[in-house]
């Protein structure tokens, strides 16, 4: 193994100390022993032949040797056996480098080797002193494995952030396309018989488009750019909607069993995040069974009293909805199980996992006020148990109100500004068919011209935020100069958090994220126009 590149310099101080300062610099044997034991880095002394004279307790910890095993042996046992530099052994090379370093002691990295045979990056700094018995060298050995791991994790985090940036960059156009698909499919369902094959085909299109929306949100989740949008949902229905996808994901060699309790209580959770939780658990279970096996998904209503939760810190007493995923895979050793929820920790190869799966599951569960426990035995399997708090009654009522039929418009005029011509037609059609009069503009200058030339009132401006030549925020302020009574709603394929960070959204302006259903748009338009009446 070739020598690694040097990367740090440290001062080497080698000079005879004035006799008048000798007493001040001397330390007792007990003080020297305390320094040795407190040191995180290993300290090793050796002679001019490269033979080890002394081996500190921290060096024992780093290399795995007892001092008695290495005293009198060459330094070469502390590095890879095939290490050589221009024909010189490790001890010869390190002494030569030291002698040639002059005023600066070159601190270098070498391929270290532990007693168990594993390799690790090792940084070494050397100093020396003269004694009556000859010259003695002292080396400080720093284990760089933890730093290398942190650097690897940083690179992994940067890679995942790049994925998030890429997803955010295409989200605007991608969500426009999904909005068109979802809404035109919805238009079709209104003209078809409910039980017809055509209606079923259109519903499959809608379902697939919604899956695409979830895909975008899962990508954004990595970069934390997607806002949490909790809603009251039924866990059984969510699992049922994903069943076909689960079966395709796990393959034919893995059997999927589901035991879902009837009349499951509702929970309040972001549906996209719940999909992420379930998918990650299924994929992890599948990967633990490369030769086939069985996955079991179960749900139940549970209630925990104080007597139970006092042994399950930090869980609080109350009613929960339980979901468990069990596999018959390889299981985990206790030390791996203990670290399984850590970000970037993975037992998979570098090409088969990021170490983010269970960490994301843990983050979502905690963010949703839930709790997660893992149970695993080697060669038996793993069970992941998750408990979500039951939704409160007021949250359920709010969800019912949000899913009610939207109120119709009262012939109000709505100016729609959207640079995607197909999506512009979709929005105008939704408004025109539900009691509003729409005015469409494909770009900001056209919108300003309509604002100046339109003879009647413009009650509302619904404008995209990211457009060429002028963004929606500036456009809205220009519109309000000419039409101060006009209400404003902004829309974008980017999340509200991202838009706010870019300074494009005022706190008091309503916002709707694409893609959106017609009912969501109509509900927001009506509330914006008539909020003074409530």
């Amino acid at each position: 193994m070739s020598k690694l590149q040097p990367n740090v310099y440290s001062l080497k101080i080698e000079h005879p100390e004035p006799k008048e300062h000798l007493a001040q610099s001397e330390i007792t044997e007990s003080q020297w022993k305390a320094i040795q034991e407190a040191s995180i880095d290993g300290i090793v002394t050796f002679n001019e032949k490269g033979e080890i004279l002394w081996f500190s307790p921290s060096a024992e910890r780093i290399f795995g040797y007892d001092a008695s095993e290495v005293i009198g042996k060459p330094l070469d046992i502390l590095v890879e056996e095939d290490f050589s530099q221009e024909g010189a052994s490790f001890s010869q090379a390190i002494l030569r480098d030291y002698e040639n370093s002059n005023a600066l002691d070159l601190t270098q990295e070498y391929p270290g080797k532990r007693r168990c045979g594993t390799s690790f990056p090792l940084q070494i700094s050397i100093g020396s002193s003269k004694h009556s018995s000859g010259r003695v060298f002292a080396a400080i050995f720093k284990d760089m494995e933890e730093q290398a791991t942190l650097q690897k994790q940083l690179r992994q985090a940067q890679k995942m952030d790049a994925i998030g940036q890429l997803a955010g960059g295409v989200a605007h156009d991608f969500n426009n396309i999904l909005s068109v698909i979802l809404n035109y499919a919805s238009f079709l369902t209104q003209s078809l018989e409910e039980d017809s094959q055509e209606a079923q085909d259109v519903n499959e299109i809608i379902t697939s488009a919604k899956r695409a929306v979830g895909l975008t949100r899962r990508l954004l989740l990595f970069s934390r750019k997607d806002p949490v949008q909790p809603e009251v949902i039924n866990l059984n229905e969510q699992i049922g909607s994903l069943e076909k996808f689960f079966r395709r994901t796990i393959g034919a060699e893995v059997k999927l069993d589901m035991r879902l309790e009837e009349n499951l209580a509702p929970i309040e959770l972001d549906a996209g995040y719940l999909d992420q939780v379930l998918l990650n658990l299924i994929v992890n279970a599948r990967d633990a069974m490369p030769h086939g096996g069985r996955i079991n998904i179960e749900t139940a209503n549970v209630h925990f009293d104080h007597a139970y939760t006092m042994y399950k810190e930090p869980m609080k007493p109350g009613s929960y909805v339980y979901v468990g995923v069990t596999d018959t895979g390889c299981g985990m050793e206790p030390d791996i199980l203990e670290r399984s929820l850590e970000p970037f920790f993975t037992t998979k190869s570098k090409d088969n996992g990021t170490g983010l799966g269970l960490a994301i599951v843990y983050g979502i569960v905690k963010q949703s006020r839930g709790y997660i426990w893992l149970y695993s035995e080697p060669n038996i399997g793993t069970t992941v148990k998750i408990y979500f708090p039951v939704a409160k009654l007021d949250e359920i009522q709010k969800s019912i109100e949000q899913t009610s039929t939207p109120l119709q418009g009262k012939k109000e005029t709505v100016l729609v500004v959207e640079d995607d011509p197909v999506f512009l037609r979709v929005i105008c059609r939704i408004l025109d068919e539900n009691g509003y009069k729409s005015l469409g503009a494909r770009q900001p200058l056209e919108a300003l011209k309509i604002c100046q030339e339109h003879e009647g009132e413009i009650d509302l401006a619904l404008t995209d935020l990211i457009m060429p030549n002028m963004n929606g925020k500036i456009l809205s302020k220009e519109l309000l100069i000419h039409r101060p009574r006009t209400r404003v709603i902004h829309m974008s394929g980017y999340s509200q958090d991202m838009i706010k960070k870019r300074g494009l959204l005022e706190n008091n302006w309503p916002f709707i994220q694409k893609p959106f259903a017609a009912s969501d748009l109509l509900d927001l338009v009506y509330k914006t126009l008539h909020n003074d009446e409530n």
Side-chain angles (χ1 to χ4, degrees):
M1 180 179 292
S2 61
K3 179 174 157 185
L4 301 176
Q5 292 296 318
N7 64 343
V8 180
Y9 289 88
S10 62
L11 288 175
K12 179 191 74 173
I13 302 175
E14 182 183 4
H15 55 79
E17 192 164 335
K19 291 185 178 180
E20 59 267 23
H21 292 156
L22 184 61
Q24 183 179 353
S25 64
E26 290 177 350
I27 59 174
T28 66
E29 182 178 350
S30 62
Q31 289 174 326
W32 174 235
K33 184 177 180 181
I35 292 172
Q36 299 164 9
E37 293 178 349
S39 173
I40 297 175
D41 302 326
I43 303 174
V44 179
T45 62
F46 56 95
N47 59 25
E48 293 177 296
K49 296 180 181 180
E51 298 171 334
I52 297 174
L53 303 175
W54 182 77
F55 208 67
S56 74
S58 51
E60 293 179 326
R61 176 183 57 79
I62 291 174
F63 291 98
Y65 289 103
D66 290 332
S68 59
E69 297 178 277
V70 297
I71 299 298
K73 294 185 177 180
L75 285 173
D76 303 73
I77 67 171
L78 303 180
V79 298
E80 286 287 354
E81 294 175 0
D82 60 350
F83 175 87
S84 64
Q85 185 184 13
E86 298 175 1
S89 67
F90 171 69
S91 55
Q92 293 170 336
I94 200 171
L95 286 172
R96 182 190 61 202
D97 290 346
Y98 174 76
E99 295 296 344
N100 294 336
S101 63
N102 297 322
L104 286 175
D105 174 16
L106 189 62
T107 299
Q108 297 177 322
E109 283 191 8
Y110 296 88
K113 183 180 179 182
R114 305 189 200 278
R115 188 178 188 274
C116 63
T118 59
S119 300
F120 67 104
L122 182 67
Q123 189 183 83
I124 305 176
S125 299
I126 304 176
S128 69
S129 62
K130 293 181 180 179
H131 291 264
S132 56
S133 58
R135 200 173 185 187
V136 175
F137 299 85
I140 297 177
F141 290 79
K142 180 184 288 292
D143 185 348
M144 301 299 291
E145 187 169 41
E146 182 178 357
Q147 180 172 324
T149 300
L150 290 174
Q151 291 174 341
K152 181 179 179 181
Q153 291 177 356
L154 176 60
R155 289 193 297 270
Q156 190 76 300
Q158 290 171 336
K159 180 175 72 174
M160 299 313 298
D161 185 62
I163 293 176
Q165 293 291 341
L166 175 62
V170 302
H172 185 266
D173 291 338
F174 187 51
N175 283 329
N176 277 354
I177 295 170
L178 291 175
S179 295
V180 172
I181 294 172
L182 285 168
N183 284 287
Y184 269 112
S186 179
F187 295 154
L188 281 175
T189 59
Q190 299 171 17
S191 59
L192 298 172
E193 293 292 335
E194 186 174 347
D195 297 330
S196 67
Q197 182 61 50
E198 290 82 1
Q200 294 178 24
D201 293 343
V202 172
N203 285 330
E204 285 297 324
I205 293 173
I206 293 174
T207 300
S208 297
K210 289 180 177 178
R211 289 278 178 271
V213 175
L215 174 62
T216 304
R217 299 198 65 205
R218 284 193 286 272
L219 289 173
L220 290 170
L221 176 63
F222 286 118
S223 61
R224 309 303 301 168
K225 290 183 174 68
D226 195 28
V228 177
Q229 298 174 357
E231 56 185 294
V232 176
I233 56 179
N234 184 289
L235 182 55
N236 284 351
E237 293 177 358
Q238 200 75 10
I239 293 173
S241 69
L242 292 169
E243 182 179 355
K244 290 182 180 179
F245 186 70
F246 289 160
R247 295 189 185 279
R248 289 196 299 269
T249 300
I250 62 179
E253 294 183 344
V254 178
K255 305 300 180 183
L256 178 64
D257 291 333
M258 297 198 301
R259 295 196 295 269
L260 310 181
E261 182 173 315
E262 295 183 1
N263 302 317
L264 201 65
I267 59 175
E268 187 191 23
L269 188 65
D270 185 297
Y273 282 12
L274 179 58
D275 286 355
Q276 182 74 55
V277 168
L278 296 171
L279 179 61
N280 278 338
L281 295 182
I282 292 296
V283 169
N284 276 359
R286 178 205 63 190
D287 291 347
M289 301 179 290
H291 306 296
R294 186 177 299 276
I295 297 176
N296 179 66
I297 304 176
E298 59 180 342
T299 62
N301 294 314
V302 295
H303 183 84
F304 298 128
D305 57 18
H306 179 72
Y308 178 86
T309 56
M310 65 183 298
Y311 298 105
K312 283 285 187 179
E313 291 288 344
M315 180 177 259
K316 297 179 181 179
S319 296
Y320 295 86
V321 172
Y322 159 74
V323 57
V325 176
T326 301
D327 66 66
T328 57
C330 59
M332 291 181 277
E333 298 286 349
D335 57 332
I336 294 177
L337 180 64
E338 185 177 352
R339 299 188 60 194
S340 58
L341 296 177
E342 294 179 10
F344 304 107
F345 176 76
T346 180
T347 57
K348 302 175 184 177
S349 66
K350 65 179 182 179
D351 296 322
N352 292 310
T354 63
L356 286 169
L358 283 177
I360 285 180
V361 169
Y362 175 79
I364 292 173
V365 171
K366 299 303 291 183
Q367 190 176 37
S368 304
R369 297 176 289 118
Y371 302 92
I372 180 172
W373 277 277
L374 273 67
Y375 305 87
S376 188
E377 293 289 340
N379 302 316
I380 295 178
T382 300
T383 296
V384 181
K385 294 186 174 184
I386 299 175
Y387 300 89
F388 293 112
V390 171
K392 299 177 182 178
L393 291 176
D394 57 340
E395 293 165 350
I396 298 173
Q397 181 61 36
K398 181 180 178 181
S399 178
I400 294 173
E401 292 172 355
Q402 290 176 340
T403 57
S404 61
T405 302
L407 296 172
Q408 295 291 296
K410 301 176 182 179
K411 302 300 181 182
E412 296 97 336
T413 299
V414 180
L415 173 62
V416 183
V417 191
E418 167 60 55
D419 58 329
D420 186 317
V422 181
F423 190 40
L424 175 62
R425 290 196 298 270
V426 169
I427 298 175
C428 290
R429 178 172 172 177
I430 292 172
L431 294 170
D432 292 339
E433 291 181 356
N434 288 274
Y436 300 96
K437 178 184 177 182
S438 66
L439 302 172
R442 288 187 54 182
Q443 46 98 2
L445 295 179
E446 183 182 354
L448 289 173
K449 184 177 179 181
I450 292 174
C451 181
Q452 294 171 357
E453 295 179 355
H454 182 70
E455 295 182 357
E457 291 288 336
I458 296 180
D459 302 286
L460 176 70
L462 174 63
T463 173
D464 193 12
L465 278 169
I466 308 297
M467 294 181 292
N469 302 322
M470 184 185 299
N471 64 53
K473 179 180 178 180
I474 296 174
L475 172 62
S476 298
K477 291 185 175 181
E478 289 290 327
L479 291 174
L480 290 175
I481 293 175
H482 303 284
R483 304 270 183 166
R485 296 174 59 185
T486 299
R487 305 292 175 90
V488 175
I489 295 177
H490 284 158
M491 56 183 173
S492 178
Y494 294 97
S495 71
Q496 188 169 0
D497 285 354
M498 289 180 67
I499 292 297
K500 283 186 176 180
K501 287 177 181 178
R502 295 177 65 174
L504 296 178
L505 185 66
E506 299 289 346
N507 292 329
N508 60 335
W509 283 350
F511 174 84
I512 186 168
Q513 185 177 355
K514 307 171 187 175
F516 46 75
S519 58
D520 294 330
L521 174 63
L522 293 170
D523 182 63
L524 181 58
V525 168
Y526 188 90
K527 288 180 178 178
T528 303
L529 287 170
H530 301 283
N531 60 1
D532 294 337
E533 301 172 8
N534 299 328

